Amino acid sequence: MEKILIFGHKNPDTDSICSSIVMEKIAKHYGLDAEAVRLGNINKETEYALNHAEVESIREISDVQEGQKVILVDHNEKEQSVDCRENAEIIGVLDHHRIASFETATPLYYISKPYGCTSTLLYEIIKKENIELDKQIATLMLSAIISDTLLLKSPTCTQKDKDAYYELEEFLGINAEEYGLEMLKAGTDLSIYSADEVINLDAKEFEANNKKIVISQVNTADIDDVFVRREELEFAMEKQIADRKLDLFVFLITDIINTNSKVIALGEQKEVVEKAFNVKLDENDSAMLEGVVSRKKQVAPPILEVL
Ligand code: MG
Ligand code: MG
Ligand code: MG
């Protein structure tokens, strides 16, 4: 039987990695030969989660061969997906994002819910289908929910995410808040990364109105820890704009303790950010966005609307 590849978006976050592995388990339950793979490096936060779940490794791929069957988790947009995706046959999507840049030649399973995390919808499937829960996949799903909802504090968090979080916490018999804070903190140590790596850790590309933009986000416990590197970060952003012919590069530094963000915007279309948030960029091309933590719900929609 042909092997099905399962993967999340490029610059994978904890949800993309964990949900791929959980989805592999679900696919195998249905007798499918499936392998979770990844489209990029594992960040420190995800590494923390994988260690706790005792996952040894997950193979990296960069493109797909003609006819490869794939299942997408945590994304659907072409710009965020595997290179040469047109080669692949997409047999399933499990996602919680807007649908854009997506079409297929053949019918497929497409499950999308407006939840805070892909793993929440996978947890629903596992419960409904009576698939056996074990410590590993429970840890992976809880980690993904903590990451995507910033410990249930993000405006993207729904009651379904909360229900799954508390049920998984109980199943695992751990203190999810303590575990989650340690996991999120593990992801905030950016000192080991070059400026170029920092701006690409969690970067997503979008296209609208024939304009190409990137919205990148990092988490921190102290915005100044990241903002002191503004000059080298801006240099790296300018390079991305030139190399990838971007119209706008938005970099969000998100304070996970106080739940707000500082934005740095560069590119021809940077005034789009001023209009979208009704703010003025200061002499450092930056502005505070109070209460803003979610790219999906609070940042991408107003920017794509103004663009
Ligand atoms: Mg994601
Ligand atoms: Mg997600
Ligand atoms: Mg994310």
Side-chain angles (χ1 to χ4, degrees), residues 8-17 73-75 80 95-97 118 147-148 202 204 295-296:
H9 52 77
K10 282 179 176 163
N11 304 324
D13 56 9
T14 300
D15 187 28
S16 268
I17 297 289
V73 300
D74 196 36
H75 77 295
Q80 299 163 9
D95 191 22
H96 67 131
H97 292 88
T118 306
S147 173
D148 267 15
D202 181 8
K204 283 189 183 173
R295 169 174 45 204
K296 185 196 340 204

Side-chain angles (χ1 to χ4, degrees), residues 3-9 16 19-20 23-24 26-28 30 32-37 39 61 64 68-76 81-82 85 88-95 102 108-111 118 122:
K3 182 168 263 177
I4 298 160
L5 298 179
I6 303 170
F7 48 83
H9 52 77
S16 268
S19 288
S20 297
M23 190 57 213
E24 178 186 307
I26 296 173
K28 284 180 171 161
Y30 289 104
L32 299 171
D33 183 15
E35 182 191 3
V37 293
L39 307 181
I61 63 161
V64 283
Q68 174 67 54
K69 286 189 163 57
V70 301
I71 295 174
L72 312 181
V73 300
D74 196 36
H75 77 295
N76 67 80
S81 199
V82 72
R85 190 172 82 178
E89 183 190 342
I90 304 171
I91 62 167
V93 178
L94 299 109
D95 191 22
F102 184 86
L108 75 160
Y109 289 96
Y110 197 114
I111 304 176
T118 306
L122 297 184

Side-chain angles (χ1 to χ4, degrees), residues 129-142:
E129 304 294 325
N130 277 318
I131 298 169
E132 198 195 336
L133 197 56
D134 60 37
K135 200 177 153 209
Q136 180 170 75
I137 62 167
T139 304
L140 293 170
M141 289 187 286
L142 180 62

Side-chain angles (χ1 to χ4, degrees), residues 40-68:
N41 293 333
I42 287 174
N43 66 39
K44 290 283 160 197
E45 179 198 285
T46 308
E47 187 181 291
Y48 185 94
L50 294 183
N51 284 341
H52 270 263
E54 294 176 15
V55 172
E56 302 225 319
S57 65
I58 170 167
R59 187 166 67 92
E60 181 174 7
I61 63 161
S62 55
D63 54 14
V64 283
Q65 301 297 309
E66 191 66 45
Q68 174 67 54

